[in-house]
Amino acid sequence: MSSWIDWASVRSLYPWFNGSKDKTFELYTPDLVEKSDVVFLALPSGEAMKLAPQMLAKGKKVIDLGGDFRMQDTNLYSTYYQAEHTAKGLLPEAVYGLPEWNCESIRTAKLIANPGCYPTAAILPLAPLLKEGLIEQQNITINSLSGISGAGRAGSVELSFCEVNESASAYKVGTHQHIPEIATALESITGLAPEFTFIPHIIPIIRGIFTTITCDLTRSASLDDVTLAFEKYYADAPFVDFTSNQIPAIKDVVNTNMISFSFSEYQKSGKLVLHSVIDNLIKGAAGQAVQNMNLMCGFSECEGLR
Amino acid sequence: MSSWIDWASVRSLYPWFNGSKDKTFELYTPDLVEKSDVVFLALPSGEAMKLAPQMLAKGKKVIDLGGDFRMQDTNLYSTYYQAEHTAKGLLPEAVYGLPEWNCESIRTAKLIANPGCYPTAAILPLAPLLKEGLIEQQNITINSLSGISGAGRAGSVELSFCEVNESASAYKVGTHQHIPEIATALESITGLAPEFTFIPHIIPIIRGIFTTITCDLTRSASLDDVTLAFEKYYADAPFVDFTSNQIPAIKDVVNTNMISFSFSEYQKSGKLVLHSVIDNLIKGAAGQAVQNMNLMCGFSECEGLR
Amino acid sequence: MSSWIDWASVRSLYPWFNGSKDKTFELYTPDLVEKSDVVFLALPSGEAMKLAPQMLAKGKKVIDLGGDFRMQDTNLYSTYYQAEHTAKGLLPEAVYGLPEWNCESIRTAKLIANPGCYPTAAILPLAPLLKEGLIEQQNITINSLSGISGAGRAGSVELSFCEVNESASAYKVGTHQHIPEIATALESITGLAPEFTFIPHIIPIIRGIFTTITCDLTRSASLDDVTLAFEKYYADAPFVDFTSNQIPAIKDVVNTNMISFSFSEYQKSGKLVLHSVIDNLIKGAAGQAVQNMNLMCGFSECEGLR
Amino acid sequence: MSSWIDWASVRSLYPWFNGSKDKTFELYTPDLVEKSDVVFLALPSGEAMKLAPQMLAKGKKVIDLGGDFRMQDTNLYSTYYQAEHTAKGLLPEAVYGLPEWNCESIRTAKLIANPGCYPTAAILPLAPLLKEGLIEQQNITINSLSGISGAGRAGSVELSFCEVNESASAYKVGTHQHIPEIATALESITGLAPEFTFIPHIIPIIRGIFTTITCDLTRSASLDDVTLAFEKYYADAPFVDFTSNQIPAIKDVVNTNMISFSFSEYQKSGKLVLHSVIDNLIKGAAGQAVQNMNLMCGFSECEGLR
């Protein structure tokens, strides 16, 4: 039984693959997994937890781009994904695939929970500051502006051009599934449980996330300390770019695996203000997945990502 | 000497006036002022303060859409507009033209300082809460997303389609001229001097502002108190629309003089979150100017605005 | 049995009606028709022909914004709409609602077939030239670029922001239902059956149509003759604007009931080139329907449209 | 004297180079040319003809992305570029860099005139049909829709977001400098001088060109002949993709060096209709320049372009 997908079918779904006729596409079958070294899963919530166990049992490395394995606390999963977790036994071996922080665990992992787009954009600027005690754990505000591709490729009135273009709004305030993911990952990385308010917005662009974070510097912390903290953790990170003097724009990083962020002090209120940008489909999804694969397989971290 | 502008010249600048050939356009001359009852000024910073004195001396009502008369403190003006104020004598009679708060003063005013777009979007949701003591005066964060028309009609690389589309960024963080305007107006209205952090963003739409405000409810305040406060001040305001259960989108108000806002409590952090939308060119500029004119002239407040 | 629609339901579907709470919305019932003088039908293909007979029988004026009554030849209807016509008896009394050409018939009509958007954009520039014998009847090419709202408000992958933005394409080439409508209307107006090639394109804007027409001047015709023909038919048309020296842009007419067009001779090929713009939702739909109602009811043609 | 450009300067102009800090940028100096094997020129009109002679004299291969060397007839150059040609002596050795047609000449060329974006989009579908005598030489209409990046990176009101978004128009009808380039290249390739009408349009996208061509099949030609002609010339062309049954969209080829086109017969008029898409910055500029370099240097044609 052949599982190959003919080229006309591929083309009708993804016409932009027209220059890639040398590539092949196959329907998923268990046999296909046998022939693979690494499996990337990009499935609706709850599906990866059904498939991953048998793949891992066969000794395959699995990178899940969904949310099934990102939180150890299955109560959080139930609350925000509104479904029971059915593969709790796998959670202890799942590694949160944020290479800038979990590089060593990723190298030896069998199961990677590839981070969500908003969490990647928020955690990378915040983690060094929390870990070094430079910012307060209260009054952290995270405002993110996301392109529409974050919602997936689906037909709905809400995502139609005429609803989205020339407009903007916020959504899922207080209920977005990335809220517990950010909390879990920050606690895992820093040992702290900071209190934050995360407001996701939708703006009329296809891809990219712009995030503005406001928080309080601790009494003794200075902007120089902030610079040092970022240099300490990210000086050698190939996909992290930071600066104190130029606010990034989404277009700076679209089509790349980079996160770029800036920081400054807001004189009137004394707040520290951070701005980060990523391409939600690359550093926020597929690119970071490849970065994880590179580490898992002993390749150069940047292979295929420049 | 005729000051009429021929139709071809008008059309080459504003081709969308093609259905308005019955209207006439004249170059500014002092004589033109003589024939007018009300003068609207929409000029670069610093120009209105040169022209307004002679217009007021002739007994004309003046509505200035720029920033020249919005702040009584000329030191603030100098700092944020980077120029000296040359008509300080007029400031005491200038009325900040926010009809929902200054209606009575507007009715008798000769000189109106028409509010800026961002201040309109931020002050209207915040003022009732501060005035009623429902929110703390610290840790107020105001994140605004603005369309490009807010920057005026000018040719620059920064405003070009290829730079703006499929991107987003923040700008003038800590230095925007609307920071002291918001502070001044809130203090004038509420008697308080709250501390806020205002972050203006640019997104790829022509017109509209979406603003997200996070702040702390005071210990005894509830969401019901918030509802009551808004009803107290805005129940009869024809251009204010608020709700606790549906986040507005910019397209809800584009091409109207409405401000629409929502409010909710963010469970994890206990913050009060507000979202407001306006059309920056109407409620944030020309529409509000007409609303002010209506009040000054004794017309119905909604005349020409429905 | 009440047929009123509560405000919350209206708002959830059309949040931009938030400033129109003084208006009321009712579900369709036959009783509702009794109370009306004029009925506007905006329904999926085939539905108007079911409802119109009983409305007309009650003596109501009916303006149908769909395609059910635009062509007298029901074979054409069957071919392009892929359904049988079930109200053939009404066709003789249906008037094609293009006020610039059928004004007198519209005034006395009971049933108006409101023109399609593309036909409006193409017929108005072409009809005077054909009628005066200024252009050849072969080699007419009509290329139209339409905003997405032309496809209606529906959820589909094809209309989603991520598919539409930063792209463009042609569609329904040779099969669009406006092909026979253009042919029928041109023949009805001019008595000729010109041969044309109509190519509809989709571009990433919400509303508006830009049409480029190329055709051949007849041997003796000049650009001056073209100007005279347009003046002859449109000098007093309140919603037609034409010029030989400035190519219009869609934004010139968005939110208006205007059609604006330009014309010039292309030196190399000797072709006459015409460019027209309309707002597909106004002159191409609802605005023209109101214009028709004004004529039917004896109101000023421009009532409610300036 | 160092000609290196510091990273901060690069970043301020091109912030999206932030992931390319391993690359270096140097100001142009004659010395820089000495160190190079191939020189790409991307300059305002008239500048390449000043610099190319000395580069060629040093034995360098030169690829000019501008229009200075695309037409042998300097009268055409003067007419459409409104300037005198000052390097006529180089024209005989300039090769029009359209690899699908001039591959052998390109391999041995010293000076390449890299084709314009519109000509690439129009010539590739038309040339096989003309060369095989399948279409008539009259009544060819070329309607192209271009993204804004085709106008270069400049600050002007015409290119500003607020003018361009939610609009569309045609421009330079009959005067665009690509008119004589298309004519010259078609004649050079096919030996014929077909008459065509080219209408460039601007639509609100950053990059990409969608072109619709209508023309007449010759009496004996069929769609099968058209297919055979395209197969004859493009079966092995790595960057050409064609089909008779799916109209391409711009997004199919953005960020690639592909041209994709479709063809069909329009029943009512018997016209052959072709639709092509390219990324104007890649196949229409830089990508095709690299393709030319690959051929000049004996590299694989696709090197760096997949």
Side-chain angles (χ1 to χ4, degrees), chain A:
Chain A
M1 190 197 72
S2 168
S3 61
W4 296 83
I5 306 177
D6 68 288
W7 180 248
S9 300
V10 172
R11 184 191 191 114
S12 71
L13 274 173
Y14 303 110
W16 46 88
F17 285 178
N18 61 2
S20 310
K21 291 184 186 163
D22 51 331
K23 300 204 173 45
T24 55
F25 299 80
E26 277 185 76
L27 285 174
Y28 167 75
T29 62
D31 275 3
L32 188 58
V33 174
E34 296 286 358
K35 296 187 291 180
S36 306
D37 298 311
V38 181
V39 179
F40 293 88
L41 298 175
L43 296 165
S45 292
E47 296 301 313
M49 62 176 82
K50 295 180 193 162
L51 291 174
Q54 62 210 62
M55 293 168 173
L56 291 163
K58 287 174 181 163
K60 304 304 178 184
K61 298 181 203 303
V62 174
I63 300 172
D64 177 29
L65 281 82
D68 286 10
F69 302 108
R70 292 179 188 158
M71 300 183 289
Q72 296 295 322
D73 182 342
T74 54
N75 288 328
L76 281 179
Y77 182 87
S78 306
T79 301
Y80 284 89
Y81 286 86
Q82 297 179 307
E84 281 308 295
H85 201 290
T86 61
K88 298 180 186 181
L90 286 182
L91 288 171
E93 59 180 294
V95 172
Y96 192 69
L98 198 63
E100 290 76 13
W101 288 93
N102 299 337
C103 184
E104 290 315 308
S105 315
I106 292 166
R107 285 187 203 280
T108 59
K110 296 296 184 196
L111 173 58
I112 292 290
N114 205 59
C117 52
Y118 289 123
T120 298
I123 295 167
L124 286 171
L126 279 173
L129 306 179
L130 287 164
K131 198 163 175 73
E132 297 295 310
L134 300 176
I135 59 170
E136 300 289 353
Q137 296 183 54
Q138 281 73 43
N139 293 318
I140 299 173
T141 304
I142 305 170
N143 270 268
S144 286
L145 321 182
S146 175
I148 313 298
S149 62
R153 194 184 187 209
S156 76
V157 170
E158 288 72 25
L159 302 179
S160 71
F161 184 86
C162 294
E163 300 293 306
V164 168
N165 207 41
E166 288 295 315
S167 194
S169 193
Y171 70 105
K172 283 195 182 180
V173 176
T175 63
H176 198 285
Q177 67 275 16
H178 287 171
I179 296 170
E181 182 182 335
I182 295 170
T184 297
L186 282 179
E187 183 164 7
S188 163
I189 289 169
T190 69
L192 305 172
E195 186 186 281
F196 62 88
T197 305
F198 168 62
I199 316 282
H201 298 72
I202 194 171
I203 62 170
I205 63 174
I206 296 176
R207 58 205 292 175
I209 294 177
F210 187 94
T211 297
T212 292
I213 301 170
T214 52
C215 54
D216 292 309
L217 284 169
T218 48
R219 187 176 305 251
S220 60
S222 71
L223 267 192
D224 285 348
D225 297 328
V226 170
T227 302
L228 288 171
F230 288 141
E231 286 174 350
K232 176 175 173 182
Y233 291 97
Y234 298 141
D236 299 325
F239 297 113
V240 181
D241 177 60
F242 57 89
T243 171
S244 67
N245 57 12
Q246 190 174 348
I247 298 174
I250 283 175
K251 70 177 307 169
D252 300 355
V253 298
V254 164
N255 291 326
T256 79
N257 196 49
M258 298 294 295
I259 180 167
S260 184
F261 60 85
S262 69
F263 52 97
S264 63
E265 198 173 350
Y266 189 95
Q267 297 301 330
K268 284 277 175 186
S269 63
K271 297 278 181 188
L272 180 70
V273 179
L274 301 124
H275 304 287
S276 80
V277 287
I278 62 167
D279 184 324
N280 60 308
L281 299 181
I282 303 188
K283 184 61 176 171
Q288 190 147 261
V290 170
Q291 194 180 350
N292 280 312
M293 178 191 72
N294 288 341
L295 293 170
M296 294 169 92
C297 297
F299 305 155
S300 156
E301 188 173 352
C302 302
E303 200 66 42
L305 294 171
R306 289 288 194 208

Side-chain angles (χ1 to χ4, degrees), chain B residues 66-268:
Chain B
D68 287 11
F69 303 107
R70 293 180 189 158
M71 300 182 289
Q72 297 295 323
D73 181 342
T74 54
N75 288 327
L76 281 179
Y77 183 87
S78 306
T79 302
Y80 284 87
Y81 286 86
Q82 299 180 306
E84 282 308 296
H85 202 290
T86 60
K88 296 179 189 184
L90 286 182
L91 288 171
E93 60 179 294
V95 172
Y96 192 68
L98 198 63
E100 290 77 13
W101 288 93
N102 299 336
C103 184
E104 290 315 310
S105 316
I106 292 165
R107 286 187 203 279
T108 59
K110 297 295 184 196
L111 172 59
I112 292 288
N114 204 58
C117 51
Y118 289 124
T120 299
I123 294 165
L124 286 172
L126 279 172
L129 307 179
L130 287 163
K131 196 161 176 76
E132 297 296 308
L134 299 177
I135 59 169
E136 300 288 352
Q137 297 182 54
Q138 282 73 42
N139 293 316
I140 298 172
T141 304
I142 304 169
N143 267 266
S144 286
L145 321 182
S146 174
I148 313 299
S149 61
R153 194 181 187 210
S156 76
V157 170
E158 289 72 24
L159 301 179
S160 72
F161 183 87
C162 294
E163 301 293 306
V164 167
N165 207 41
E166 289 294 314
S167 195
S169 193
Y171 70 106
K172 283 197 184 180
V173 176
T175 63
H176 198 287
Q177 68 275 16
H178 287 170
I179 296 172
E181 181 181 335
I182 295 170
T184 296
L186 281 179
E187 185 164 4
S188 162
I189 290 169
T190 69
L192 305 173
E195 184 187 283
F196 61 88
T197 306
F198 168 61
I199 316 282
H201 299 72
I202 194 172
I203 62 171
I205 64 174
I206 295 176
R207 58 205 291 173
I209 294 178
F210 186 94
T211 297
T212 291
I213 301 171
T214 53
C215 54
D216 292 309
L217 284 169
T218 47
R219 189 177 305 249
S220 61
S222 71
L223 269 192
D224 284 346
D225 297 328
V226 170
T227 302
L228 288 172
F230 288 140
E231 285 173 352
K232 175 174 175 184
Y233 291 97
Y234 300 140
D236 299 324
F239 298 113
V240 181
D241 177 60
F242 56 90
T243 170
S244 68
N245 58 12
Q246 191 174 345
I247 299 174
I250 284 175
K251 71 178 307 168
D252 300 354
V253 297
V254 164
N255 291 327
T256 80
N257 196 48
M258 298 293 295
I259 179 167
S260 185
F261 60 85
S262 69
F263 53 96
S264 63
E265 195 172 352
Y266 190 94
Q267 297 300 329
K268 285 277 175 184

Side-chain angles (χ1 to χ4, degrees), chain C residues 3-73:
Chain C
S3 62
W4 296 84
I5 307 178
D6 68 288
W7 179 249
S9 300
V10 172
R11 185 191 189 113
S12 71
L13 274 174
Y14 304 108
W16 46 87
F17 285 178
N18 61 2
S20 311
K21 290 182 187 165
D22 51 333
K23 301 205 172 46
T24 55
F25 299 81
E26 276 187 75
L27 284 174
Y28 166 75
T29 63
D31 274 2
L32 189 58
V33 173
E34 297 286 357
K35 297 188 290 182
S36 307
D37 298 311
V38 181
V39 179
F40 294 89
L41 298 175
L43 296 166
S45 292
E47 297 301 315
M49 61 177 83
K50 296 180 194 160
L51 292 175
Q54 61 208 63
M55 294 167 172
L56 291 164
K58 287 174 182 162
K60 304 303 177 184
K61 298 182 204 300
V62 175
I63 300 172
D64 177 29
L65 283 82
D68 287 10
F69 302 108
R70 292 179 189 156
M71 300 181 289
Q72 296 295 324
D73 181 343

